[in-house]
Amino acid sequence: RKVEPKKDGGVHLEIMPYVPEDMNHAEMSYHTAWGKISLSWEKIKEKIIFRAEIPGAATADFVYGEQKAQWNGGIYEVEL
């Protein structure tokens, strides 16, 4: 949703996925000067699994409904 460069040369991301009722899966990736950003989600029964890859020079705020997390560069998986 938002990519904001930081003064230290890194980047801060705001990740707020939208999950429509009539879809079961979505994924995206975007190549930036800081590295690849990717996000996917998948509905499995009554749960949603989010997977994200954040470049090493990045930080991110993940927000989905009431669920919030702060991430540094790395690979993440969240099950809600």
Side-chain angles (χ1 to χ4, degrees):
R1 173 177 165 150
K2 184 176 176 184
V3 177
E4 183 177 303
K6 298 188 310 186
K7 290 181 182 180
D8 66 2
V11 65
H12 183 75
L13 311 170
E14 186 176 280
I15 301 171
M16 300 176 71
Y18 172 67
V19 180
E21 286 187 34
D22 61 344
M23 290 180 65
N24 292 320
H25 177 262
E27 60 185 81
M28 62 72 62
S29 64
Y30 183 71
H31 293 273
T32 72
W34 303 277
K36 180 177 153 184
I37 300 167
S38 65
L39 176 68
S40 67
W41 58 262
E42 179 179 15
K43 291 180 186 176
I44 299 177
K45 297 188 181 184
E46 295 183 20
K47 296 183 180 187
I48 302 172
I49 299 174
F50 296 94
R51 294 179 182 92
E53 182 177 349
I54 309 298
T59 58
D61 290 329
F62 172 84
V63 179
Y64 181 73
E66 298 297 316
Q67 179 72 28
K68 296 179 182 180
Q70 291 184 330
W71 296 336
N72 293 314
I75 297 174
Y76 295 87
E77 183 171 295
V78 176
E79 185 177 306
L80 302 174

